[in-house]
Amino acid sequence: MGGSDQPIIKIDKVSKSFGSLNVLNELSFDVEPGEKLALIGPSGSGKTTILRILMTLETIDSGHILVDGEELWHIPGNGGLVPANEKHLHHMREKIGMVFQLFNLFPHMTVLRNVTAAPMLTQNVPKEQAEKRAMALLDMVGLADKADAKPAQLSGGQKQRVAIARALALQPKIMLFDEVTSALDPELVEEVLNVMRRLAEETDMTMLLVTHEMQFARDFADRVLFFDAGRIVEQGPPKEIFSNPQEERTRTFLKKVIAAGHAI
Amino acid sequence: MAEWSGYLFLILKGAVTTVELTVLGCMLAFVMAFLGGLGRLSRHFILRAIATTYIEFFRGTSIFVQLFWAFFVLPLIGIPLSPFLAGTLALGLNIGAYGAEVVRGSILSVPREQNEACTALNFSSWQKMRYIIMPQAFILMLPTFGNNAIELLKGTAVVSLISIADMTFQPQVVRSQTGNTTMPFLTILVLYFLISLVISTSVRGLERRLSQGLDVTKA
């Protein structure tokens, strides 16, 4: 269980297709505990699919994934491994939290209730304790004064900060961020990125980030993986990937992104 | 004039019966709508099959025929029902079948992203339905539920065919005794309209209250 000498996530020859479309192609990589990983690449390259698979929103066709030393998609059975049941997935999800591109807040609940619902329902945290923790998290994302508001009353950036607090309330070991600023107006991007910067500085959580914000990926990540067509084309420290990419495809991609106005 | 107030009393008594049938029928329809709608969304084939059969049967056959079955045929196979019970059953089961499709459609129209957020937050499928999907879906159901309730109110008129003295039955008694046609039928026209007005305004009020501060169309 989760020794510091083993990777917290181990992805081993994972393949995934949607119909005839091959999204992941025998993909393998490890993530070290506490590591901040940025996944970049053209859309359709499979980077979001990896996050969705880790959050158990998509299944895998073949391969293995270990999270915190345990198989994510398999359990022992029949003298080997069989596909995981709902009970096992429930256990594994406790280790992982996710923030979505479109926030996915619960529109019928107040901000506070959005943050307290999951701990109260899935971890049996008493109400007072859940609310205390939620207020501390809302304070951290700068929205303590919005606790009683409904999501519809918030800006996009505020919604996304609530969504981050909501995911953190379950105290996961791993946080997945799926293009969390892509749906935001440009002037609201920074407030969300600031929260994530603080999170990266103040916690030792493992964070996986799919993003098109190259400047942010460069500041934030310990390691950058460049994806294309379901494979890792190139990986390394952000400085190397962004300043001195070795692969032609990485160079082409970065050139295009810069031309599109995402400065590095 | 004194005579007319006696007849008016007769019609109002019929109105009480109509309201009772409407309320009980709506309660049964409400329960059947959720059973049928959730049944059609079930993972289990048997539940889906039962729900689909129920919905298709009651939508596909006439409410008259269903009422006659409940009242005339069921006693032949040893299930005698009072006219009132037969009427409530036929109306509730019939409108419930339409309601079931409303329940199913509303649940399915809650954005998929809400389901994904629930998975990410590790809700069980019961918790997801109870706390996240159903509260949002219920608001979507309300307008059509209101329509269905009014349909049911108007449908209660068919029970006069199995000799229940409802609001449609009574004016015919009055008419045969007084020869006055316009007044009794005008009276029930107004009464039906007033009752349906009560239904539609209270459903709209409920809808407004539940969707307060809510951006229903997007998360």
Side-chain angles (χ1 to χ4, degrees), chain A residues 254-263:
Chain A
L254 290 173
K255 233 179 259 166
K256 262 190 210 156
V257 173
I258 294 165
H262 294 270

Side-chain angles (χ1 to χ4, degrees), chain B residues 198-213:
Chain B
V198 169
I199 295 173
S200 57
T201 39
S202 38
V203 170
R204 218 172 298 136
L206 187 63
E207 199 191 328
R208 207 174 305 125
R209 230 186 64 195
L210 288 180
S211 52
Q212 237 165 35

Side-chain angles (χ1 to χ4, degrees), chain A residues 52 55-57 86 89-91 93-94 96-98 100 102-109 113-114 117-118 121-122 150-153 159 166-167 170, chain B residues 43 111-125 127-128 130-136 139 209-216 218-219:
Chain A
R52 293 175 56 81
M55 197 62 258
T56 73
L57 296 170
E86 185 55 35
L89 292 178
H90 189 80
H91 161 67
R93 282 185 206 120
E94 289 185 355
I96 308 170
M98 183 161 178
F100 298 89
L102 294 172
F103 335 124
N104 303 1
L105 293 180
F106 303 132
H108 59 300
M109 293 178 170
R113 181 75 182 136
N114 261 280
L121 290 170
T122 69
K150 288 275 179 71
Q153 297 164 264
K159 283 183 194 172
R166 182 176 71 168
L170 289 169
Chain B
R43 266 173 294 186
R112 190 194 52 162
E113 287 80 8
Q114 292 284 307
N115 280 285
E116 296 189 342
C118 289
T119 304
L121 294 170
N122 218 357
F123 288 130
S124 69
S125 45
Q127 288 168 337
K128 175 179 80 178
R130 162 71 183 79
Y131 295 99
I132 307 301
I133 305 299
M134 197 52 94
Q136 295 179 62
I139 295 167
R209 230 186 64 195
L210 288 180
S211 52
Q212 237 165 35
L214 205 64
D215 207 346
V216 185
K218 53 182 185 209

Side-chain angles (χ1 to χ4, degrees), chain B residues 28 37 47 71 73 102 154 157-158:
Chain B
L28 178 62
L47 291 179
F71 188 62
V73 183
V102 178
K154 293 186 291 186
V158 303

Side-chain angles (χ1 to χ4, degrees), chain B residues 185-206:
Chain B
F185 284 120
L186 183 65
T187 310
I188 66 163
L189 201 71
V190 172
L191 283 175
Y192 272 116
F193 180 73
L194 288 179
I195 299 172
S196 80
L197 202 63
V198 169
I199 295 173
S200 57
T201 39
S202 38
V203 170
R204 218 172 298 136
L206 187 63

Side-chain angles (χ1 to χ4, degrees), chain B residues 80-101:
Chain B
L81 297 175
S82 73
F84 191 83
L85 195 57
T88 306
L89 261 182
L91 287 164
L93 290 175
N94 183 276
I95 299 295
Y98 289 91
E101 287 295 89

